Amino acid sequence: MNRNLRKTVIAGNWKMNLAPSGAKTLIEELKPLIAGKDKCEIVVCVPFIDVPSVAEKVKGSDIKVGAQNVHFMKSGAYTGEISAEMLVEAGAEYVIVGHSERRQYFGETDETVNLRLTAALDAGLKPILCVGELLEQRDRGITAEVVSMQTKIALQGIDAERLKRVIIAYEPVWAIGTGRTATSEQADEVCGIIRGVIAGKYGSDTAEAVTIQYGGSMKPGNAAELLAKYNVDGGLIGGASLKAADFAAIIDAAQN
Ligand code: PEP
């Protein structure tokens, strides 16, 4: 990570875990552990139902709140969906878009990821855009092509000014929730490829300023090595973000 040039962001993705009561307990445990850890931005991306109570609970701390998905329409007959304006009013500042679980289980495409990202930016949210290759794509040697295409389509129509609010998370799908982590070299290489795509579209100054996280079984034991890499500006953390001590240890690793 290169803190001189860009913001380090450690974000937890709670996925479909923790109702408001459990969310409250986790935030209470986390707050004292992260006090004064000001070298990175700390975000928790929580289930929709937890957003208002977690937003209330984190007041007075440096923890920011995010959601895990957003619909691209402002309102209307979209049963079960949540708009960006609703998330803002509920207290969210960040939102994950294009997580591989949304792509895999809920039919998200690069095109709908672009629409969601655009809607999030329109509402003033900070999107965390997830891109990453399947194991089969890595084995075929097309990782660079896959993440480049995902990044380019997701950012279609987004100008350099709006890009400043976008965080990109490189998440190799084969490393998510599997306990198998990309090596720090693999993470650095692909984060660098994504930075190259940004440079091609927006210029190198913009590319050097964009925060690119690694996600995929990041945990206390491997965080320091991953975060030490030049192109890795933080982490998107699933499983380990559900344990206050583990999430805090990853935040500690980002302090150096
Ligand atoms: C994620 O959900 O984005 C993720 C990286 O999960 P895990 O850390 O559990 O692999």
Side-chain angles (χ1 to χ4, degrees):
M1 75 192 148
N2 195 321
R3 204 174 286 115
N4 298 332
L5 297 171
R6 44 197 180 253
K7 192 168 59 175
T8 302
V9 181
I10 301 293
N13 174 16
W14 290 4
K15 312 196 188 196
M16 196 173 72
N17 294 292
L18 301 177
S21 55
K24 180 171 168 261
T25 306
L26 182 53
I27 297 295
E28 273 166 5
E29 288 170 359
L30 198 55
K31 270 163 103 169
L33 299 178
I34 56 99
K37 306 280 161 70
D38 57 1
K39 297 278 194 317
C40 65
E41 187 127 319
I42 302 166
V43 184
V44 287
C45 296
V46 305
F48 290 137
I49 194 162
D50 294 339
V51 171
S53 57
V54 171
E56 192 58 37
K57 200 82 203 148
V58 298
K59 279 190 180 149
S61 79
D62 288 329
I63 305 170
K64 317 269 195 226
V65 182
Q68 299 169 15
N69 191 27
V70 61
H71 197 259
F72 40 84
M73 299 302 283
K74 282 191 186 335
S75 63
Y78 303 101
T79 304
E81 295 295 330
I82 304 241
S83 75
E85 285 81 4
M86 290 173 183
L87 289 178
V88 171
E89 191 172 327
E93 185 176 335
Y94 287 82
V95 65
I96 296 173
V97 290
H99 192 279
S100 66
E101 287 154 14
R102 301 287 325 165
R103 296 178 192 254
Q104 187 178 350
Y105 304 131
F106 302 101
E108 295 270 336
T109 63
D110 290 330
E111 287 72 21
T112 59
V113 170
N114 170 250
L115 293 174
R116 289 172 205 271
L117 184 119
T118 304
L121 287 170
D122 287 348
L125 288 164
K126 298 175 183 165
I128 300 175
L129 163 66
C130 299
V131 298
E133 80 286 4
L134 304 170
L135 184 56
E136 180 199 318
Q137 293 167 328
R138 175 161 283 269
D139 289 345
R140 286 179 192 271
I142 56 170
T143 296
E145 287 82 353
V146 170
V147 298
S148 299
M149 190 182 72
Q150 290 174 336
T151 305
K152 282 181 187 168
I153 298 177
L155 295 177
Q156 254 167 12
I158 308 301
D159 64 20
E161 191 50 39
R162 276 150 70 84
L163 184 77
K164 287 183 185 159
R165 272 190 286 130
V166 178
I167 291 170
I168 301 174
Y170 165 54
E171 298 212 301
V173 178
W174 46 272
I176 297 178
T178 58
R180 185 174 163 192
T181 316
T183 64
S184 55
E185 288 75 20
Q186 288 171 325
D188 191 44
E189 182 192 11
V190 183
C191 289
I193 289 168
I194 295 166
R195 204 176 300 288
V197 170
I198 303 295
K201 183 172 161 79
Y202 300 95
S204 55
D205 287 356
T206 301
E208 284 300 315
V210 70
T211 294
I212 305 180
Q213 303 171 312
Y214 166 77
S217 300
M218 189 184 272
K219 41 192 176 254
N222 59 27
E225 190 186 335
L226 286 159
L227 293 171
K229 291 294 181 188
Y230 179 83
N231 281 302
V232 178
D233 308 314
L236 182 56
I237 297 117
S241 71
L242 293 170
K243 291 189 191 133
D246 286 358
F247 193 50
I250 295 171
I251 291 162
D252 275 343
Q255 300 305 300
N256 301 314

